[in-house]
Amino acid sequence: MNNAKILIIEDDTPIADLLSYGLSKEGFLTRIATNGAAGMRELQLFQPDLLLLDWMLPDQSGLDICKKVTAEYNIPIFMITAKSDITDKVLGLEFGADDYITKPFDLREVLARIRTILRRVDQANSGDKVEVNKDVICFQDIEINVQERLVQKNKQTVELTPKEFDLLLILIRNQGKTFTRSELLDIVWGYHFVGDTRTVDTHIQRLRKKLDASEFITTVFGIGYKLKKMGG
């Protein structure tokens, strides 16, 4: 986690400088981009471990950046914005953000949340959360390559967002176990979500549609979701 690289895409120079200074003091390596186009270039050049992204940028929406990064990279995204409405918060998470904080913010809270996100990524990469004896998991006509984070159905690649992949993986590794929506938020998003749980419902709906898996990813009414055991 020390010396992790963090790219800050923020057009408010005082805020960007504050974040860069505070993160640098904690041992992080930082770069700043003041608009979306420059930020996307820095993503390729800097190859950060985490993206700190402002919602409103002069040339494009932070949500558009979030969608592009989610589609092209496998790095966590932490959004910082003046928007405080719960609908906007849920929207940011559904577009692929890992966490969200509103302005004005306490730098100590930003640092704490960044460390939590990076710690979760480290644990996932090292396999500390769940040990799997093989790199490829098969369930019905679905095949998951864990190391490459690739999913195929009937030998055809299915494009999943990082959060959709993580959600599918936790369900498939725990076949038959019922998870509450709050549990899935804690496990997949890595922190306790203060608000409603619509983002889990949305991701489950997308997984069912993309994988044609409504028969297997089932709703446990009044509780949450589970993946039915094969033959069960």
Side-chain angles (χ1 to χ4, degrees), residues 162-201:
K163 285 294 177 289
E164 288 168 353
F165 181 91
D166 292 341
L167 184 57
L168 174 63
L169 197 57
I170 196 67
L171 291 172
I172 230 163
R173 283 172 164 172
N174 295 274
Q175 297 172 31
K177 177 178 179 179
T178 298
F179 290 93
T180 67
R181 292 169 175 82
S182 295
E183 286 174 333
L184 290 172
L185 280 171
D186 288 342
I187 295 168
V188 175
W189 277 259
Y191 66 99
H192 186 68
F193 177 62
V194 181
D196 63 43
T197 54
R198 287 178 295 173
T199 190
V200 171
D201 297 331

Side-chain angles (χ1 to χ4, degrees), residues 41-90:
R41 289 195 297 270
E42 286 293 346
L43 272 170
Q44 291 183 319
L45 296 171
F46 190 43
Q47 296 185 352
D49 299 298
L50 181 141
L51 174 60
L52 204 52
L53 176 63
D54 186 29
W55 183 297
M56 291 183 287
L57 296 166
D59 58 339
Q60 56 189 296
S61 166
L63 285 180
D64 291 333
I65 298 270
C66 196
K67 284 194 293 185
K68 292 176 185 176
V69 173
T70 298
E72 299 175 19
Y73 299 88
N74 184 28
I75 61 172
I77 301 170
F78 185 6
M79 296 197 77
I80 294 182
T81 177
K83 292 178 174 288
S84 59
D85 186 86
I86 187 63
T87 302
D88 293 323
K89 184 171 184 178
V90 171

Side-chain angles (χ1 to χ4, degrees), residues 21-205:
Y21 175 75
L23 290 165
S24 298
K25 282 190 66 177
E26 294 297 316
F28 297 105
L29 305 176
T30 66
R31 283 193 190 176
I32 296 173
T34 56
N35 59 60
M40 293 303 292
R41 289 195 297 270
E42 286 293 346
L43 272 170
Q44 291 183 319
L45 296 171
F46 190 43
Q47 296 185 352
D49 299 298
L50 181 141
L51 174 60
L52 204 52
L53 176 63
D54 186 29
W55 183 297
M56 291 183 287
L57 296 166
D59 58 339
Q60 56 189 296
S61 166
L63 285 180
D64 291 333
I65 298 270
C66 196
K67 284 194 293 185
K68 292 176 185 176
V69 173
T70 298
E72 299 175 19
Y73 299 88
N74 184 28
I75 61 172
I77 301 170
F78 185 6
M79 296 197 77
I80 294 182
T81 177
K83 292 178 174 288
S84 59
D85 186 86
I86 187 63
T87 302
D88 293 323
K89 184 171 184 178
V90 171
L91 186 62
L93 293 171
E94 290 180 353
F95 273 59
D98 291 79
D99 202 349
Y100 180 114
I101 196 168
T102 56
K103 303 173 185 177
F105 54 80
D106 188 316
L107 183 58
R108 292 170 298 180
E109 183 178 0
V110 173
L111 289 166
R113 292 195 184 193
I114 285 174
R115 291 189 184 282
T116 296
I117 294 171
L118 291 175
R119 185 163 53 247
R120 174 171 55 83
V121 171
D122 286 342
Q123 289 173 346
N125 290 339
S126 64
D128 288 343
K129 279 202 166 189
V130 181
E131 282 296 328
V132 176
N133 294 325
K134 53 185 178 179
D135 291 336
V136 177
I137 301 174
C138 296
F139 178 86
Q140 300 291 343
D141 53 2
I142 299 168
E143 183 177 288
I144 303 175
N145 186 311
V146 179
Q147 295 300 317
E148 296 183 18
R149 295 179 67 85
L150 295 176
V151 176
Q152 289 188 321
K153 181 180 175 65
N154 292 322
K155 303 300 182 182
Q156 299 296 313
T157 299
V158 179
E159 297 294 336
L160 300 182
T161 68
K163 285 294 177 289
E164 288 168 353
F165 181 91
D166 292 341
L167 184 57
L168 174 63
L169 197 57
I170 196 67
L171 291 172
I172 230 163
R173 283 172 164 172
N174 295 274
Q175 297 172 31
K177 177 178 179 179
T178 298
F179 290 93
T180 67
R181 292 169 175 82
S182 295
E183 286 174 333
L184 290 172
L185 280 171
D186 288 342
I187 295 168
V188 175
W189 277 259
Y191 66 99
H192 186 68
F193 177 62
V194 181
D196 63 43
T197 54
R198 287 178 295 173
T199 190
V200 171
D201 297 331
T202 299
H203 281 72
I204 289 288
Q205 290 168 10

